[in-house]
């Protein structure tokens, strides 16, 4: 299966901004030569080109873009064509101020920056459709154009009167009556009751922030607004050529929209990944980004595209570090190992001015092709050509972690325990890391999308505070049918309106887990408790310690101190054909490892390689290939049970020497 059927190979290239160089035909000519040299086969064009494509209202100038696309095509280089809605031209903001966003303080933004449009504005919709249609009519059937890149890194909300009105209409559709809305939002609290739909405003620091149900609905509404805008652009371009797939480039730092929901409206998931290599142990950075690669693959349960990454460094962090030798290939192939069918960069060439003139690029201001960055990029291009057997291959996982955006929003807002510091995503990453370290592949599912749990043998549900979509019944059936489930503290507490369940927690699952949760204790940063196993092993517990009352479960480990010393902190319970585990506290990283040793014992989940690997080295399987990755700054010797062939070097051996930040892609002989 290919994400880009017109060009079913690994894509290598990135954001190309010829619009900044139209007065330098020599440079544009040189770009094509350099791209061929760097084994670039695909660029993204037109992301911020609106002012050039439509210099005056209704006057379209697409010839320059056509010439670029044609020239690249003559050299076999494909185009991912962007719609330009990520940044609008000045004339539009001047003539139609309604296209600009209103912020959470109810102030209208001025012209400038990017990603600054109102998704409701009829004028913005109309102008976007007109330019999108013009682009589609001219280019959607061009043989070189393989994918639409809609807008850029969609994010944020608009608080303008139009968007407010749409919010009220959205609420009317959701609740039908004000009584139902008042009940869902628990407006008996602090005299919040609404008696007229027009009284409802979006959550704002200038107004209401303590209505949690409303804040949750605002996030859902914003997701729907964004989805509606995506569909608007998608339907416009696909009306011209329904065969050409669309993507939007996602960003893991943004939490505004529910990405599982949003992924339903696009054909291909792509994302922009900017790891902070060399600012902490590299294996930690690799864990964070590897987890997000798996998430992006899971959104549509198919491979994804790495749409942006830097060829060397970025310019927008406080400390902008270079990638050390080896890291560029390693980081790029990490994405491929987890399901990416591309390695694309921001940016091809550094501009002479503007905020990103010093952001890493394949071609620096020197214009040279004998730089370290250029060589490293070429190395990636060559590597991808050698890995074609992996292109399109699935990652097969027997383990699934539940990750839910609505749960994330609810935990971010909750006024309890470690307020504002519940670390949902970090906790999920910590659990993911234990599996990844052991070479066990993992999928993610959100609470609606997990209709297929029976395909997994192990399901992990960290901090599942909110239950929705009947997940408790799905988890029960999963365990009953022979699955192993691990849940953690502060779970099954609220429903999808963020209203507490009445009765024992975790709601609907106490008999499956063989316990009920009674109280949640919170530890300060300098406090800890102990996790004691029967055989004398000990672990360290931090941040959250829940006191549970056993109702048939077996204690695998107990608390070591405080008034709840001796009470269980890790439990196991046989239910139906399966097992339900409960981790009542938060272990530190090393202790979570001990929990996983216990949990995985006897499960015999398939691992990428059945050999112990040195600390900092991981193996990830995709299709028939095993990506062996060394995240340490030293050479590592890895002995294998039998000979493998490295697809990158052709070397066949039962032992591989990986250099510092080295990678090998192994296939069994
Ligand atoms: C984002 C944007 C790009 C560029 C890069 C810089 O991902 O999509 O246009 O600004 O960041 O890292
Ligand atoms: Zn608006």
């Amino acid at each position: 299966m290919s994400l880009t059927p017109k060009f079913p190979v690994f894509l290598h290239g990135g954001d190309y901004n010829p619009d900044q160089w139209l007065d330098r035909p020599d440079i544009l000519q040189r770009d094509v030569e350099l791209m061929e040299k760097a084994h670039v086969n695909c660029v993204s064009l037109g992301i911020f080109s609106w002012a050039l494509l439509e210099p005056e209202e209704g006057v379209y100038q697409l010839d320059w873009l056509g010439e670029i696309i044609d020239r690249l095509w003559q050299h076999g280089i494909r185009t991912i064509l962007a719609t330009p809605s990520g940044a609008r031209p000045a004339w539009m903001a001047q003539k139609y101020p309604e296209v600009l966003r209103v912020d959470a303080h109810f102030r209208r933004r001025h012209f400038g920056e990017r990603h600054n449009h109102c998704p409701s504005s009829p004028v913005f919709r109309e102008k976007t459709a007109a330019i999108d249609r013009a682009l589609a009519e001219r280019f959607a059937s061009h043989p070189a154009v393989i994918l639409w890149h809609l807008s850029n890194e969609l994010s944020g909300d608009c608080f303008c009167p139009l968007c407010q009105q749409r919010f009220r209409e959205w609420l009317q559709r959701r609740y039908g009556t004000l009584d139902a809305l008042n009940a869902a939002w628990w407006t008996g609290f602090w005299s919040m009751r609404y008696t007229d739909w027009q009284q409802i405003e979006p959550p704002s620091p200038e107004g209401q922030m303590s209505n949690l149900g409303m804040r949750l609905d605002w996030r859902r509404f914003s997701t729907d607004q964004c989805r509606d805008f995506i569909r608007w652009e998608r339907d416009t371009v696909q009306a011209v050529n329904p065969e050409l797939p669309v993507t939007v480039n996602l960003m893991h730092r943004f939490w505004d929209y529910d990405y599982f929901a949003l992924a339903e409206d696009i054909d291909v998931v792509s994302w922009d990944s900017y790891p902070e290599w060399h600012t902490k142990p590299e294996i930690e950075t690799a864990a964070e980004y590897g987890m997000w690669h798996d998430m992006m693959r899971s959104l549509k349960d198919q491979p994804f595209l790495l749409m942006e990454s830097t060829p060397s460094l970025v310019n927008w962090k406080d400390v902008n570090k270079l990638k050390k030798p080896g890291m560029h290939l390693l980081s790029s192939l990490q994405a491929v190992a987890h399901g990416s069918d591309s390695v694309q960069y921001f940016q091809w060439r550094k501009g002479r001015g503007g905020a990103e003139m010093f952001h890493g690029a394949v071609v620096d201001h020197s214009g040279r092709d004998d730089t370290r960055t250029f060589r490293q990029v070429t190395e990636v291009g060559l590597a991808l050509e050698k890995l074609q057997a992996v292109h399109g291959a699935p990652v097969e996982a027997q383990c699934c972690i539940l990750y839910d955006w609505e749960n994330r929003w609810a935990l971010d807002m909750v006024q309890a325990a470690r307020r504002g510091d519940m670390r949902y995503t970090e906790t999920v990453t910590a659990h993911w890391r234990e599996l990844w370290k052991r070479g066990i592949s993992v999928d993610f599912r959100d609470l609606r999308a997990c209709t297929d749990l029976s395909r997994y043998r192990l399901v992990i549900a960290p901090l599942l505070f909110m239950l929705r979509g009947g997940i408790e019944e799905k988890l029960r059936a999963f365990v009953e049918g022979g699955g192993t489930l691990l849940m953690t503290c502060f779970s099954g507490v609220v429903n999808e309106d963020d209203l507490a369940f009445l009765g024992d927690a975790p709601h609907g699952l106490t008999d499956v887990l063989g316990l009920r949760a009674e109280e949640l204790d919170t530890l300060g940063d300098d406090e800890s408790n102990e996790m004691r196993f029967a055989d004398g092993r000990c672990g360290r517990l931090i941040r959250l310690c829940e006191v549970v009352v056993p109702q048939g479960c077996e204690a695998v480990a107990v608390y070591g101190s405080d008034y709840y010393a001796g009470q269980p902190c890790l439990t196991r319970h046989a239910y139906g054909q399966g097992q339900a585990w409960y981790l009542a506290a938060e272990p530190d990283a090393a202790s979570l490892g001990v929990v996983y040793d216990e949990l995985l014992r006897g499960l015999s989940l398939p691992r990428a390689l059945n050999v112990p690997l040195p600390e900092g080295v991981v193996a990830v399987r995709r299709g028939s290939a095993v990506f062996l990755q060394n995240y340490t700054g030293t050479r590592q010797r890895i002995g294998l049970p039998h000979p493998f062939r490295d697809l990158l070097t052709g070397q066949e051996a039962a032992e591989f020497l990986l250099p510092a930040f080295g990678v090998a892609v192994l296939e069994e002989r």
Side-chain angles (χ1 to χ4, degrees):
M1 165 273 168
S2 176
L3 302 174
T4 50
K6 273 165 96 173
F7 194 46
V9 300
F10 278 115
L11 309 180
H12 182 231
D15 286 19
Y16 179 36
N17 301 309
D19 12 352
Q20 296 173 24
W21 300 97
L22 292 183
D23 61 343
R24 289 296 302 267
D26 56 320
I27 285 187
L28 296 179
Q29 185 56 47
R30 178 89 176 123
D31 277 335
V32 185
E33 290 158 25
L34 290 173
M35 284 177 193
E36 282 191 302
K37 205 159 179 188
H39 291 250
V40 158
N41 62 14
C42 176
V43 299
S44 303
L45 279 171
I47 298 174
F48 299 113
S49 300
W50 203 334
L52 218 60
L53 294 169
E54 191 181 354
E56 281 173 54
E57 186 171 7
V59 177
Y60 299 110
Q61 283 186 3
L62 311 188
D63 288 347
W64 67 271
L65 184 58
E67 279 163 31
I68 303 273
I69 292 175
D70 287 342
R71 173 168 333 132
L72 292 164
W73 174 231
Q74 282 154 19
H75 294 262
I77 299 166
R78 277 30 178 216
T79 289
I80 295 173
L81 188 57
T83 63
S85 61
R88 82 241 51 73
W91 59 256
M92 194 190 297
Q94 183 182 32
K95 183 160 177 199
Y96 308 104
E98 70 158 80
V99 304
L100 297 171
R101 253 179 214 186
V102 170
D103 70 16
H105 301 278
F106 305 111
R107 289 180 309 219
R108 181 143 336 246
R109 299 269 310 272
H110 287 231
F111 172 70
E113 303 301 326
R114 50 181 177 172
H115 311 151
N116 172 19
H117 67 260
C118 165
S120 305
S121 156
V123 173
F124 193 67
R125 292 269 176 143
E126 185 199 308
K127 297 291 169 203
T128 301
I131 184 88
D132 287 2
R133 207 173 301 117
L135 285 168
E137 279 163 1
R138 173 90 183 248
F139 301 117
S141 298
H142 193 295
V145 176
I146 59 167
L147 179 70
W148 284 109
H149 178 299
L150 302 182
S151 207
N152 191 66
E153 288 191 345
L154 292 154
S155 65
D157 317 321
C158 178
F159 294 72
C160 80
L162 285 171
C163 288
Q164 291 198 33
Q165 190 49 33
R166 290 194 70 166
F167 182 43
R168 291 180 200 112
E169 289 158 12
W170 184 94
L171 292 169
Q172 276 169 345
R173 283 195 300 278
R174 183 174 174 91
Y175 294 108
T177 65
L178 274 176
D179 281 346
L181 173 137
N182 279 308
W185 288 4
W186 202 250
T187 56
F189 178 72
W190 286 357
S191 205
M192 287 176 183
R193 191 169 181 82
Y194 293 101
T195 54
D196 181 344
W197 293 99
Q198 289 304 318
Q199 293 159 354
I200 300 171
E201 291 180 336
S204 156
E206 307 292 331
Q208 183 64 273
M209 288 301 277
S210 294
N211 187 328
L212 302 185
M214 175 215 263
R215 284 172 62 190
L216 199 57
D217 276 340
W218 176 252
R219 294 263 50 84
R220 292 176 175 134
F221 164 74
S222 286
T223 298
D224 283 352
Q225 284 275 87
C226 177
R227 292 183 60 178
D228 193 59
F229 189 78
I230 288 171
R231 288 194 297 264
W232 174 258
E233 291 213 74
R234 181 199 68 190
D235 294 348
T236 305
V237 295
Q238 289 192 336
V240 180
N241 178 1
E243 303 295 314
L244 199 60
V246 305
T247 190
V248 295
N249 53 336
L250 306 175
M251 219 325 171
H252 84 299
R253 275 164 227 279
F254 300 165
W255 64 285
D256 308 317
Y257 312 138
D258 177 345
Y259 276 173
F260 273 99
L262 191 149
E264 290 173 9
D265 298 318
I266 52 179
D267 302 307
V268 173
V269 165
S270 67
W271 81 293
D272 304 342
S273 171
Y274 292 99
E276 306 66 23
W277 296 119
H278 316 305
T279 57
K280 56 186 175 190
E282 285 77 6
I283 192 72
E284 285 176 26
T285 308
E288 182 185 343
Y289 285 81
M291 182 270 206
W292 279 98
H293 288 311
D294 275 356
M295 185 77 72
M296 295 296 163
R297 187 190 70 246
S298 299
L299 292 180
K300 286 191 86 70
D301 197 16
Q302 66 182 29
F304 62 92
L305 298 178
L306 178 62
M307 187 58 83
E308 291 180 24
S309 60
T310 177
S312 58
L313 40 57
V314 297
N315 69 326
W316 45 264
K317 293 182 180 168
D318 291 338
V319 178
N320 297 294
K321 289 185 82 71
L322 286 170
K323 283 187 253 185
K324 296 191 190 300
M327 189 45 98
H328 181 57
L329 180 67
L330 175 59
S331 180
S332 300
L333 294 192
Q334 182 189 26
V336 173
H338 289 276
S340 179
D341 277 349
S342 69
V343 176
Q344 299 282 104
Y345 309 118
F346 179 87
Q347 52 188 338
W348 166 253
R349 182 186 277 277
K350 283 184 185 172
R352 292 191 62 198
E356 295 186 321
M357 61 192 282
F358 296 115
H359 189 291
V362 182
V363 183
D364 211 323
H365 294 132
S366 70
R368 303 188 71 93
D369 59 9
D370 57 357
T371 61
R372 187 178 76 104
T373 296
F374 197 93
R375 280 193 297 273
Q376 290 181 158
V377 163
T378 309
E379 189 187 11
V380 169
L382 284 164
L384 293 175
E385 287 165 11
K386 292 180 186 149
L387 295 180
Q388 280 309 327
V390 186
H391 176 262
V395 173
E396 314 267 5
Q398 298 189 6
C399 170
C400 163
I401 299 182
L402 299 185
Y403 183 86
D404 191 81
W405 256 262
E406 297 200 4
N407 185 48
R408 173 176 174 174
W409 294 329
L411 277 169
D412 282 349
M413 297 183 321
V414 74
Q415 308 254 5
R418 305 257 322 194
R419 190 168 66 91
D421 186 35
M422 292 306 289
R423 299 199 195 164
Y424 177 52
T425 304
E426 292 83 342
T427 303
V428 168
T429 308
H431 283 259
W432 177 89
R433 181 182 171 154
E434 290 305 320
L435 297 156
W436 168 70
K437 258 175 30 186
R438 292 167 173 82
I440 298 171
S441 300
V442 185
D443 284 343
F444 287 95
R445 288 288 177 272
D446 83 334
L447 295 193
R448 290 159 328 148
C450 65
T451 48
D452 55 352
L453 288 185
S454 60
R455 87 187 219 200
Y456 300 105
R457 291 171 56 207
L458 175 63
V459 170
I460 316 285
L463 285 175
L464 196 63
F465 173 64
M466 173 187 284
L467 302 184
R468 66 187 181 107
I471 187 67
E472 57 275 38
E473 287 315 315
K474 291 176 191 165
L475 291 175
R476 171 189 301 276
F478 170 73
V479 180
E480 208 159 34
T484 299
L485 168 69
L486 172 67
M487 294 190 76
T488 78
C489 59
F490 208 35
S491 287
V493 180
V494 298
N495 69 9
E496 72 168 326
D497 292 327
D498 211 9
L499 295 177
F501 288 113
L502 298 181
D504 290 339
H507 174 77
L509 288 165
T510 51
D511 60 328
V512 177
L513 295 160
L515 55 75
R516 66 182 168 85
E518 199 169 79
E519 289 181 287
L520 181 61
D521 198 9
T522 308
L523 308 189
D525 286 340
D526 49 358
E527 294 177 302
S528 64
N529 202 315
E530 241 177 50
M531 170 181 245
R532 293 208 174 135
F533 291 84
D535 61 7
R537 275 173 307 164
C538 269
R540 190 165 162 267
L541 300 172
I542 52 173
R543 295 169 42 82
L544 302 173
C545 292
E546 194 171 60
V547 183
V548 302
V549 179
Q551 295 177 339
C553 66
E554 171 197 342
V556 180
V558 297
Y559 288 109
S561 61
D562 215 318
Y563 77 89
Y564 39 89
Q567 287 179 243
C569 57
L570 177 65
T571 69
R572 174 168 57 202
H573 184 237
Y575 182 82
Q577 306 293 306
Q579 291 225 327
W581 292 65
Y582 194 76
L583 176 59
E586 186 176 324
D588 69 9
S591 313
L592 189 62
V594 183
V595 171
Y596 270 80
D597 287 342
E598 286 299 304
L599 174 72
L600 296 173
R601 194 197 305 276
L603 265 179
S604 62
L605 291 168
R607 302 188 183 207
L609 284 177
N610 284 315
V611 288
L613 296 172
E615 186 71 34
V617 176
V618 291
V620 172
R621 179 179 284 275
R622 179 174 181 195
S624 60
V626 174
F627 290 70
L628 191 59
Q629 305 155 59
N630 177 11
Y631 289 101
T632 72
T634 52
R635 200 160 71 144
Q636 300 285 349
R637 180 184 305 274
I638 290 109
L640 302 168
H642 46 258
F644 280 78
R645 192 165 71 95
D646 182 354
L647 295 175
L648 298 177
T649 60
Q651 186 199 355
E652 267 184 51
E655 186 183 84
F656 283 85
L657 263 186
L658 287 185
F661 309 123
V663 54
V665 185
L666 306 180
E667 231 176 24
E668 233 146 329
R669 295 311 294 153

